[in-house]
Amino acid sequence: MDKILVTGGLGFIGSHTVVELQNEGYEVVIIDDLSNSSEKVLDGITSITGKKPLFEKLDLKDRPKVETFFEKHNDVKGVIHFAASKAVGESVQEPLLYYENNISTLVYILKELKKLPSAAFIFSSSCTVYGQADELPITENAPVKQAESPYGNTKQIGEEIISDTCKVTPSLKAIALRYFNPVGSHESAKIGELPIGVPQNLVPFITQTAIGIREQLSVFGDDYPTPDGTCVRDYIHVVDLAKAHVVALNRLLQNKNKANYETFNLGTGKGSSVLEVVKAFEKVSGEKLNYKIVGRREGDIISAYADTTKANNELGWKTKLTLDDAMRSAWKWEQIVRGNK
Ligand code: WQD
């Protein structure tokens, strides 16, 4: 079976995607700089699939090392590119770190792919490119808006770089996958989200509060124009998301793509408010969550959820797992990671 490079393959979404790629029969080689992950994740992947992926610790900003990697692995048929810095708040404080890490590494990889006879490229993008969309649910034709953060801007610029490159590189086919909000963990609880430091995202903060690492969850505002006043998002189970990457890769390798650059929204198509997520967690865990309503968080959009028509029809993919499944698996993972079986 074809060899696939997964950059950032020891990260949250990356590791779940490696599992699904191996389940599909692909040979996987991972590049990760371990800046936001751990080599222990390799054991988790291996214990799920029974196959240990190839792994090279490598900083993709080191262009000569990237060239050497591709000389050694010149039989790579596709790349799924997760490796990037992704903390919205941090990107506001450290824009140059984000532009260097997220943009230069993309350029170096694309330069290597241009040298191959043919290549399939899957880009980890984000619904953040839409900002606060004027119409809901959000389709792929919704206008890309002025980015709200350097992180979001690196996703917009990244998509443009890929699109421009594909226009002049017939041997390169690419798909940008615009994720909504990835949550949950593999049912085995052998891999999951490992936020370093204080979690920025809602679900890891919920599970860390429930297990006692965090004192209390702050709900950032309940005065939004939404049914219960809290922000609405499309929370997609990370395993459904991972499977979508395999479907997108197969589409390119089997030449089923309709253009050599395509974009797809990956979500459930359903919006859930912050308080609905809290209630779903309390229901599946049996834990009463300690939270309080505080002021709004700067930069938050009010509501975002996906129109999944294109992914359903073109990719033949749709989510199967629910918000309850995500909360259940996230809680199981938190308990295992914190040693409370
Ligand atoms: C969700 C909701 C918060 C934490 C970001 C990035 C996006 C993607 C996913 C990388 C919001 C509320 C959160 C908390 C809260 N990241 N919240 N208390 O901001 O929708 O998306 O992460 O690709 O690109 O923008 O996700 O989980 O941070 O917030 O009330 O302690 O939960 O206000 O309404 P977000 P989030």
Side-chain angles (χ1 to χ4, degrees):
M1 232 350 204
D2 292 340
K3 181 191 276 187
I4 305 300
L5 164 61
V6 180
T7 72
L10 295 183
F12 172 41
I13 305 168
S15 55
H16 285 82
T17 302
V18 168
V19 165
E20 300 307 330
L21 285 167
Q22 290 190 315
N23 290 345
E24 186 84 355
Y26 285 107
E27 181 190 0
V28 176
V29 52
I30 293 169
I31 286 178
D32 203 298
D33 67 0
L34 301 180
S35 62
N36 193 20
S37 58
S38 139
E39 208 166 332
K40 285 208 299 285
V41 174
L42 263 183
D43 302 332
I45 293 168
T46 309
S47 68
I48 294 169
T49 64
K51 289 173 277 188
K52 184 166 188 172
L54 298 173
F55 166 61
E56 299 206 15
K57 182 177 183 297
L58 197 157
D59 180 348
L60 291 170
K61 294 194 292 295
D62 185 336
R63 187 166 180 209
K65 289 229 172 71
V66 174
E67 289 178 303
T68 307
F69 175 90
F70 277 91
E71 280 155 17
K72 179 176 161 190
H73 295 279
N74 57 15
D75 55 343
V76 160
K77 293 288 181 292
V79 176
I80 304 185
H81 183 48
F82 292 104
S85 303
K86 61 149 209 153
V88 173
E90 181 188 50
S91 79
V92 175
Q93 302 308 321
E94 301 279 355
L96 291 179
L97 184 149
Y98 273 69
Y99 288 117
E100 182 187 35
N101 193 41
N102 293 7
I103 301 299
S104 62
T105 56
L106 171 63
V107 170
Y108 296 159
I109 288 173
L110 291 175
K111 281 177 173 259
E112 293 311 309
L113 293 186
K114 276 178 72 75
K115 298 174 188 171
L116 299 177
S118 76
F121 186 71
I122 306 287
F123 180 63
S124 167
S125 190
S126 169
C127 64
T128 205
V129 302
Y130 299 115
Q132 176 55 68
D134 301 324
E135 284 180 41
L136 294 170
I138 304 172
T139 72
E140 289 81 355
N141 302 321
V144 169
K145 286 198 173 170
Q146 171 73 29
E148 311 251 337
S149 68
Y151 160 76
N153 205 21
T154 65
K155 292 302 180 185
Q156 291 181 9
I157 297 168
E159 288 193 6
E160 287 167 7
I161 290 170
I162 298 161
S163 171
D164 289 346
T165 307
C166 286
K167 282 181 191 140
V168 293
T169 315
S171 61
L172 178 64
K173 299 172 286 192
I175 288 176
L177 297 175
R178 294 171 175 170
Y179 313 153
F180 280 68
N181 287 55
V183 291
S185 301
H186 190 269
E187 59 184 358
S188 66
K190 293 186 186 303
I191 53 175
E193 194 163 6
L194 270 176
I196 294 173
V198 179
Q200 296 305 304
N201 296 131
L202 177 64
V203 172
F205 208 108
I206 287 176
T207 57
Q208 288 192 12
T209 301
I211 204 119
I213 294 170
R214 307 290 158 206
E215 184 58 35
Q216 183 178 60
L217 168 74
S218 296
V219 173
F220 297 136
D222 70 344
D223 58 350
Y224 287 96
T226 62
D228 65 15
T230 62
C231 296
V232 171
R233 297 288 185 274
D234 186 334
Y235 295 95
I236 175 172
H237 197 296
V238 66
V239 172
D240 278 328
L241 187 63
K243 289 181 175 170
H245 287 73
V246 177
V247 170
L249 181 71
N250 290 343
R251 177 183 177 86
L252 294 182
L253 293 178
Q254 292 159 18
N255 300 307
K256 291 184 178 149
N257 52 303
K258 294 214 170 113
N260 73 338
Y261 175 65
E262 297 173 301
T263 60
F264 292 95
N265 287 347
L266 296 183
T268 65
K270 180 181 177 308
S272 301
S273 74
V274 176
L275 289 179
E276 284 172 327
V277 174
V278 170
K279 285 183 180 52
F281 175 79
E282 291 183 324
K283 181 178 70 173
V284 303
S285 66
E287 302 282 331
K288 185 86 187 79
L289 195 76
N290 178 13
Y291 70 88
K292 70 175 175 191
I293 308 289
V294 299
R296 295 181 172 190
R297 178 173 70 175
E298 185 68 27
D300 270 340
I301 58 167
I302 302 165
S303 182
Y305 50 94
D307 179 314
T308 59
T309 310
K310 188 180 174 190
N312 299 158
N313 295 347
E314 288 290 325
L315 294 180
W317 165 90
K318 64 186 304 182
T319 53
K320 294 191 172 68
L321 297 164
T322 65
L323 181 63
D324 286 0
D325 295 325
M327 293 301 104
R328 196 173 296 113
S329 60
W331 180 227
K332 185 178 170 190
W333 165 250
E334 186 68 66
Q335 292 173 298
I336 297 242
V337 165
R338 307 298 164 199
N340 311 3
K341 295 285 179 277

